[in-house]
Amino acid sequence: MTTDHDNKGQELSELNHNLARIEELSKRLANIIANRKTVRSSLQAPGQDFYMKTAGTIWADMMANPSKMFEHQVSYWGKALEHAIEAQAALASGEFKPPEDKTPKDRRFSNPLWDSHPYYNYIKQQYQITTQTMKDALKNVEGLDDEDTKRFEFFSHQIMDMMSPTNFLATNPDAMERAVETKGQSLVKGLENLVADLEANDGELLVKLVDESAFEVGKNIATTPGQVVFRNRMMELIQYAPTTEKVHTTPLIIFPPWINKFYIMDLKEQNSLIKWIVDQGYTLFVVSWVNPDASYADVGLGDYIEDGYLAAMREVKAITGQKKVNVVGYCIAGTTLSLTLSLMKKRGDKSVNSATFFTTLTDFSDQGEVGVFLDEDFVSGIEEEVAERGYLDSFFMSRTFSYLRPNDLIYGPAINSYMLGKTPPAFDLLYWNGDSTNLPAKMTVEYLRGLCQGNQFAKGDFFLLDEHLSIEDVDVPLCAIACETDHIAAWKSSYDGMRQMGSKDKTFIVSQSGHIAGIVNPPSKKKYGHYTNEEWPAASGDWMEGATFNEGSWWGRWDAWLSKRSGKEIEAREVGDSSHKPLAPAPGTYVVAKPNT
């Protein structure tokens, strides 16, 4: 029979164990911080010039319009004071409840205590009053151009999100409840998770989003059958095994982005775009790019084109015996595909029958949300980094994209892991998201300077491989799919680029959702619809205004478009040929190899 004395003894033992564990973890944490790798300041935040310019503009605006400043201050203090008085009155009434809450709904504050508990409700309302006042003030600063205003608002919102009361233990009811329920074990586990994440990134904090032990590439993700039929320094070429008796004559090659890995299109059978394409009767080849290290420092966009795009087309034509291929480029690989097509026109190479672009930017005059990281301060920092190391570490790209959705990809996961002590979820999409790659030094600078900043391709003068490449040179039949809420490649910018291409046969589709979910959108889910419009008005807004909304995935519409440009049906092809023997089963070796960094 267990007595109260026994229970108290067990609880005391657990408490002492947790305290000892906290002391051990604290020592490890101190050691990590003491030996933290040095990250150049130019990659951590906007440069001093931006701060000085912004501060000077705000001060000048305040001096020129003092009434505007006072109006914001009086409004803020009035709302804050009114709320404080209401909260005191509610407590003075003798009932343990907060005053009326008129603040907007925010899923960060989903715990019922944010609405019912006076302490938590007071903190929440004060936070929302403060941030709304700041947002209102940001809208009215005069003297900043559009780009500086965009950056000012973006980084200001980063601070507001960071200071949310949900991000602090003492003001997070979920964390406090769980700590009580687990007798402090959740805090110990959270500290273990924090230390592990810091150790994994040499002292830099990159929150682990997924339980990596739940997945293995080639075992339970990226499992569509196929073989590597060609390999060089830049890529492995995978040919997928047919699943139909007949296939279209013209083969299809997909060029995925090399910022992440190709298997986003082959996570699992139910949502695999790769398997779906094969099941529609196409002979499908997919490029798997190498994950570069410092030995690839001198590899540029020209190398990706010559040893990636053109090499893949050459080998696929040899394997299939065809003179033409259809091609797909996704994100940065779509941008580079457009460069390749321009180069091929200059060289008189007519190997491409049609091109499809997934979430692709070719005109960077409007850089979208990611543009806040493309100003001179950040780009100069990146240029210095790659000159020193020979490559841009995948850490920086992962962190940058996370800040485009900080509450979903930074603070939310951090709360779950570090405050609640939870193991990250087993989510295949997030596993892929964390499996990012390095970028070669030369290619990184060419892309950022020549394309993102200089917009030279859209201007008709991007010099590469001894040719002046132009967006107008892209004249093959094309289909472009952009995504409505894409944070990386805004659909309006994608539209502007496609509209300038020289093709007379162009189709543009806007899928609902974002950069990944809008593309990986199988028809079986019946989840996201898409917009179509056969006209190409000058303004992207006019295109959308005249567009037709279609229920369901765009995959079937694209298949109808592609099949018309893929020739007659023939007997399904064997994988490889006598001169292209299988080198490794799909997904290949490059996708799992670790670079020497």
Side-chain angles (χ1 to χ4, degrees):
M1 182 176 180
T2 303
T3 65
D4 289 342
H5 183 269
D6 293 332
N7 289 333
K8 290 179 180 178
Q10 183 178 350
E11 289 178 3
L12 182 60
S13 176
E14 290 178 4
L15 177 60
N16 288 332
H17 173 76
N18 286 338
L19 290 174
R21 183 68 177 137
I22 288 174
E23 183 178 358
E24 175 193 342
L25 290 166
S26 297
K27 290 179 181 178
R28 284 172 60 188
L29 182 59
N31 183 61
I32 297 168
I33 294 173
N35 296 283
R36 177 174 172 265
K37 69 177 181 181
T38 302
V39 177
R40 62 187 74 248
S41 59
S42 54
L43 294 177
Q44 301 282 33
Q48 283 298 116
D49 289 347
F50 175 73
Y51 284 115
M52 296 298 294
K53 179 180 180 180
T54 304
T57 301
I58 294 172
W59 181 256
D61 187 40
M62 288 168 54
M63 293 299 98
N65 303 283
S67 61
K68 185 167 64 175
M69 178 189 67
F70 289 129
E71 182 181 343
H72 284 302
Q73 289 284 355
V74 170
S75 175
Y76 170 67
W77 285 112
K79 291 177 182 177
L81 182 59
E82 180 183 9
H83 174 235
I85 293 172
E86 289 175 349
Q88 285 183 328
L91 289 175
S93 69
E95 295 185 55
F96 191 74
K97 68 177 185 179
E100 182 181 3
D101 188 347
K102 299 178 182 178
T103 55
K105 293 296 182 183
D106 185 326
R107 59 193 177 94
R108 289 177 293 179
F109 305 107
S110 58
N111 189 307
L113 288 175
W114 288 114
D115 297 322
S116 63
H117 195 286
Y119 168 69
Y120 291 116
N121 183 262
Y122 180 79
I123 292 171
K124 181 194 78 168
Q125 289 206 49
Q126 288 292 330
Y127 169 75
Q128 292 188 313
I129 290 170
T130 301
T131 54
Q132 187 57 54
T133 301
M134 293 175 68
K135 290 175 183 177
D136 292 340
L138 292 175
K139 295 176 183 177
N140 297 317
V141 175
E142 297 179 4
L144 294 175
D145 61 28
D146 290 343
E147 288 303 314
D148 284 336
T149 298
K150 187 184 298 183
R151 298 190 88 206
F152 178 43
E153 291 181 350
F154 178 85
F155 290 109
S156 297
H157 287 172
Q158 293 293 321
I159 295 173
M160 295 180 213
D161 288 336
M162 181 177 66
M163 297 307 296
S164 169
T166 54
N167 297 335
F168 300 90
L169 178 62
T171 53
N172 187 315
D174 294 296
M176 298 301 287
E177 286 179 328
R178 187 166 174 82
V180 172
E181 291 170 3
T182 62
K183 299 180 177 63
Q185 181 59 36
S186 60
L187 300 181
V188 177
K189 179 61 179 174
L191 186 55
E192 289 177 347
N193 292 341
L194 173 61
V195 169
D197 285 353
L198 287 169
E199 289 178 338
N201 294 286
D202 296 325
E204 282 292 312
L205 184 59
L206 190 63
V207 186
K208 184 181 292 186
L209 301 178
V210 67
D211 179 7
E212 295 176 355
S213 65
F215 300 101
E216 185 177 352
V217 176
K219 297 296 183 181
N220 57 356
I221 50 176
T223 59
T224 300
Q227 293 285 339
V228 174
V229 292
F230 176 79
R231 179 188 295 130
N232 63 17
R233 187 185 180 212
M234 295 303 300
M235 57 91 176
E236 289 185 328
L237 181 65
I238 301 169
Q239 181 179 359
Y240 285 91
T243 58
T244 57
E245 293 183 2
K246 300 281 188 179
V247 295
H248 291 284
T249 306
T250 305
L252 178 66
I253 311 172
I254 295 181
F255 296 97
W258 50 86
I259 292 174
N260 286 96
K261 298 180 180 178
F262 79 90
Y263 64 86
I264 184 58
M265 296 176 286
D266 191 31
L267 290 177
K268 54 189 174 186
E269 186 173 339
Q270 300 93 311
N271 65 0
S272 171
L273 177 57
I274 285 175
K275 183 181 187 306
W276 183 86
I277 290 172
V278 173
D279 288 345
Q280 307 316 302
Y282 295 96
T283 302
L284 178 63
F285 296 81
V286 175
V287 164
S288 174
W289 300 104
V290 72
N291 190 356
D293 54 26
S295 67
Y296 283 76
D298 293 329
V299 167
L301 287 168
D303 298 288
Y304 276 89
I305 291 175
E306 292 280 21
D307 296 329
Y309 291 77
L310 298 180
M313 294 179 199
R314 180 188 67 236
E315 300 304 322
V316 169
K317 288 192 296 180
I319 292 170
T320 61
Q322 297 300 305
K323 295 181 178 181
K324 287 182 175 287
V325 297
N326 291 321
V327 291
V328 177
Y330 195 160
C331 191
I332 189 175
T335 305
T336 311
L337 174 59
S338 67
L339 301 177
T340 305
L341 293 171
S342 175
L343 178 70
M344 293 174 76
K345 183 176 182 180
K346 299 285 189 184
R347 293 179 175 180
D349 186 340
K350 299 182 179 180
S351 298
V352 172
N353 188 57
S354 76
T356 299
F357 298 91
F358 294 165
T359 63
T360 294
L361 296 182
T362 50
D363 182 347
F364 291 85
S365 54
D366 182 358
Q367 299 164 343
E369 293 181 53
V370 77
V372 298
F373 296 104
L374 295 175
D375 261 41
E376 188 61 28
D377 45 12
F378 279 113
V379 173
S380 293
I382 291 172
E383 196 167 19
E384 293 170 3
E385 177 76 11
V386 299
E388 180 180 306
R389 301 191 65 175
Y391 64 95
L392 183 65
D393 194 290
S394 61
F395 165 81
F396 295 108
M397 296 300 295
S398 297
R399 187 177 65 175
T400 297
F401 289 136
S402 293
Y403 277 112
L404 296 177
R405 293 170 54 202
N407 291 318
D408 293 331
L409 298 178
I410 299 176
Y411 302 121
I415 290 168
N416 283 327
S417 185
Y418 308 149
M419 290 191 198
L420 304 183
K422 294 183 178 180
T423 300
F427 187 16
D428 53 5
L429 177 60
L430 291 179
Y431 177 85
W432 166 85
N433 187 69
D435 191 15
S436 52
T437 62
N438 303 325
L439 300 179
K442 182 179 178 181
M443 170 263 139
T444 301
V445 175
E446 286 178 329
Y447 180 75
L448 293 175
R449 292 293 191 194
L451 294 175
C452 295
Q453 285 190 327
N455 202 23
Q456 293 168 359
F457 186 57
K459 293 176 180 177
D461 195 24
F462 185 66
F463 190 72
L464 192 69
L465 298 172
D466 300 321
E467 296 286 356
H468 291 273
L469 306 181
S470 171
I471 196 170
E472 296 179 354
D473 294 333
V474 182
D475 58 1
V476 301
L478 67 89
C479 179
I481 296 91
C483 297
E484 189 176 18
T485 58
D486 196 329
H487 293 274
I488 298 169
W491 77 265
K492 292 183 178 180
S493 297
S494 179
Y495 176 86
D496 291 340
M498 297 301 158
R499 185 176 175 276
Q500 296 174 59
M501 289 184 174
S503 174
K504 296 180 180 179
D505 179 1
K506 294 189 285 190
T507 297
F508 192 74
I509 299 169
V510 174
S511 173
Q512 289 184 308
S513 196
H515 194 71
I516 300 302
I519 297 299
V520 184
N521 179 28
S524 59
K525 285 191 175 181
K526 299 179 180 179
K527 193 170 185 179
Y528 301 119
H530 60 282
Y531 300 89
T532 55
N533 185 349
E534 295 181 2
E535 301 298 322
W536 285 84
S540 55
D542 292 338
W543 183 94
M544 183 60 78
E545 186 175 339
T548 300
F549 177 74
N550 307 272
E551 297 285 349
S553 174
W554 55 270
W555 289 12
R557 186 176 300 275
W558 176 57
D559 175 38
W561 180 90
L562 184 63
S563 63
K564 293 177 182 177
R565 295 159 178 81
S566 298
K568 64 180 182 180
E569 291 189 339
I570 60 174
E571 293 294 324
R573 298 179 172 99
E574 296 291 327
V575 173
D577 64 10
S578 59
S579 59
H580 294 82
K581 299 291 186 182
L583 303 176
T589 61
Y590 279 6
V591 74
V592 295
K594 302 297 182 183
N596 297 317
T597 57

